[in-house]
Amino acid sequence: MTVPIAKLSFWGVRGSTPTVDPATWRYGGNTPCLELIAPDGTQFILDCGTGLRMLGSRWAAPNGGKAPETHILVTHYHWDHIQGIPFFSPLYVENNEFHFYSFRSKFLGRDSLKQVFEAQMALPYFPVDMSAMSAKRKFKEVDGGDSFKVGENKVTARWLNHPQGCLGFRIETPAGTVSYATDNEPGDSKLDASLRELAAGADIFINDAQFTPEQLETTRKGWGHSSWLEGAKVARQMEAKTLVLFHHDPDSTDRMVDSILRQAREEFDSVFAASEGMVITLGAPGDKVQAHMPGTRTALRREAQFHAKVCGVTEGGKDFEEETMVRDVSLQGALISLKHLPRLQSELQVTMEAPGADGVQAMNLRGYVVRIDTGTEKGHVAVGVVFTD
Ligand SMILES: [Zn+2]
Ligand SMILES: [Zn+2]
């Protein structure tokens, strides 16, 4: 019997507007777009932010055959959640078919999402009109409270507290449950309860973490967003297994997100900060939830041979110290082979011996684990780090 596995990929994690600032490079600047492949092969896309373009450019039908059924759930109509639509190349391919789900907005009326498509592609906002989009598109209206089956998966929609409304989605697959709650602010008791319903017992609970708890209480109150502290509170209360901090503020640099993540990890055991390129596997044998970052965004590196000592924290939360050789290094980071499996998004102290003019010198660097590849060398993992100072 094969074990059911679901794969969740993060194509866009930034809130409000895309960023191209180098200080936001590590977590990524594309706006919300997630992809969930369920064990039965059903493909879900959650939101159509600018991350959707990247998903489209990597579009591949499995086994070279017909593309799987794709079901696109759109949470609401703010720019950052729809901006990728005109740039999603599979929409221009005749044989593709897409099922779109979203709510009837009181500002748009019937066929709200269809109208959003037409408005986005109306002249003079876009060079070609809707007739260029030859893929089949089916639109389904969903309301908060609805539940429906797609393949062997159950989707539940609930209203969240956000200006002009926003839906949260919970997808239950045979490999585990993913709950997607972007764009929501705590403080409305009825909607706080529906957020908790979505999160209850979820394997992955993705929650809006745009603001700091201080901002949420003062200058950003009423803006429709949440904080890492709220996410941790709901995750603990509703016994979600892993919390993913999502919808990072465009003004939050990588260092700021690092610090948000550090604080959240003090409040709740299993937390990740959503990061472009991150893939979470659900239902893998032994370890139910696995997060890794495949090497999709590797910087130019130089082959080298440095003797190094590495100190860090393992996936299980234990301190480790290990001697190794660093063979692949750049100004920004390195790929290090380790026997220990460090925790993704944790800090590593790397002391490298580098040959200089006055003989061998020790270089102390603080690295941040952005990528883990298992299975390259037996008994070792290849760990990608970015140097933060
Ligand atoms: Zn948003
Ligand atoms: Zn919004």
Side-chain angles (χ1 to χ4, degrees):
M1 203 186 89
T2 50
V3 192
I5 287 175
K7 197 177 129 193
L8 176 70
S9 307
F10 291 78
W11 296 93
V13 302
R14 187 69 53 178
S16 307
T17 187
T19 60
V20 290
D21 183 339
T24 60
W25 168 84
R26 189 149 43 84
Y27 288 98
N30 279 304
T31 63
C33 181
L34 273 65
E35 179 194 22
L36 174 69
I37 310 277
D40 64 356
T42 304
Q43 182 191 33
F44 291 98
I45 295 175
L46 297 159
D47 274 333
C48 299
T50 60
L52 185 66
R53 186 181 69 86
M54 293 298 289
L55 197 170
S57 62
R58 304 262 166 79
W59 194 258
N63 316 318
K66 196 174 171 292
E69 256 188 45
T70 305
H71 297 261
I72 304 184
L73 311 174
V74 178
T75 59
H76 65 307
Y77 307 111
H78 286 159
W79 281 118
D80 50 327
H81 300 260
I82 58 163
Q83 240 169 342
I85 291 172
F87 300 95
F88 184 50
S89 53
L91 278 172
Y92 299 86
V93 178
E94 206 163 1
N95 289 326
N96 289 340
E97 186 173 322
F98 297 96
H99 301 259
F100 286 91
Y101 302 79
S102 63
F103 64 90
R104 181 186 294 208
S105 160
K106 71 172 181 195
F107 299 92
L108 296 167
R110 269 190 69 165
D111 294 329
S112 289
L113 188 60
K114 214 167 152 213
Q115 290 188 52
V116 165
F117 264 72
E118 281 155 14
Q120 274 193 322
M121 296 194 60
L123 308 176
Y125 302 111
F126 199 67
V128 296
D129 67 18
M130 286 296 288
S131 62
M133 245 183 209
S134 46
K136 276 189 228 46
R137 302 176 300 278
K138 291 188 176 154
F139 295 91
K140 192 174 182 298
E141 227 168 63
V142 286
D143 200 351
D146 286 359
S147 254
F148 50 95
K149 281 275 237 183
V150 180
E152 48 182 43
N153 315 289
K154 184 182 166 201
V155 181
T156 303
R158 289 280 181 273
W159 289 115
L160 298 173
N161 186 27
H162 194 60
Q164 296 94 51
C166 177
L167 287 176
F169 292 105
R170 174 185 171 100
I171 306 177
E172 293 166 41
T173 81
T177 295
V178 174
S179 163
Y180 177 55
T182 186
D183 296 57
N184 74 87
E185 178 168 354
D188 176 305
S189 58
K190 212 175 129 211
L191 298 173
D192 288 353
S194 58
L195 174 69
R196 280 162 176 76
E197 259 180 75
L198 290 172
D203 295 283
I204 308 290
F205 170 46
I206 301 155
N207 194 55
D208 186 328
Q210 179 153 0
F211 299 139
T212 64
E214 299 73 34
Q215 284 177 314
L216 191 57
E217 267 172 35
T218 56
T219 55
R220 297 289 184 264
K221 199 177 168 67
W223 287 39
H225 296 287
S226 193
S227 75
W228 62 265
L229 184 59
E230 275 299 317
K233 216 192 282 177
V234 175
R236 202 171 39 230
Q237 200 181 21
M238 299 317 293
E239 297 180 359
K241 294 185 187 74
T242 292
L243 167 68
V244 179
L245 307 173
F246 190 71
H247 205 271
H248 308 306
D249 192 273
D251 289 331
S252 289
T253 61
D254 291 335
R255 296 286 189 96
M256 286 156 88
V257 180
D258 289 348
S259 132
I260 284 170
L261 175 61
R262 220 169 13 243
Q263 295 173 75
R265 280 182 170 168
E266 279 166 25
E267 284 292 317
F268 191 68
D269 228 21
S270 179
V271 189
F272 293 105
S275 186
E276 223 171 271
M278 186 164 94
V279 177
I280 295 181
T281 312
L282 281 161
D287 193 10
K288 240 180 112 51
V289 170
Q290 277 177 356
H292 66 281
M293 205 87 71
T296 48
R297 302 195 306 149
T298 321
L300 276 177
R301 285 194 305 259
R302 195 176 282 256
E303 296 265 323
Q305 292 256 7
F306 295 113
H307 187 249
K309 195 173 85 186
V310 179
C311 306
V313 184
T314 65
E315 190 46 55
K318 289 203 174 64
D319 290 339
F320 74 88
E321 191 180 309
E322 180 181 339
E323 310 236 333
T324 184
M325 293 297 286
V326 178
R327 293 198 175 83
D328 204 333
V329 68
S330 77
L331 280 177
Q332 294 94 27
L335 195 63
I336 305 171
S337 169
L338 290 177
K339 286 197 204 77
H340 291 92
L341 175 66
R343 176 179 283 186
L344 188 67
Q345 300 183 328
S346 69
E347 230 171 64
L348 288 185
Q349 293 295 333
V350 182
T351 310
M352 275 202 283
E353 287 177 358
D358 315 313
V360 175
Q361 282 184 338
M363 231 179 353
N364 280 309
L365 295 162
R366 198 148 60 117
Y368 194 77
V369 180
V370 293
R371 169 183 166 195
I372 296 171
D373 283 342
T374 46
T376 38
E377 192 185 335
K378 206 164 180 278
H380 285 73
V381 285
V383 177
V385 297
V386 165
F387 296 128
T388 51
D389 57 20

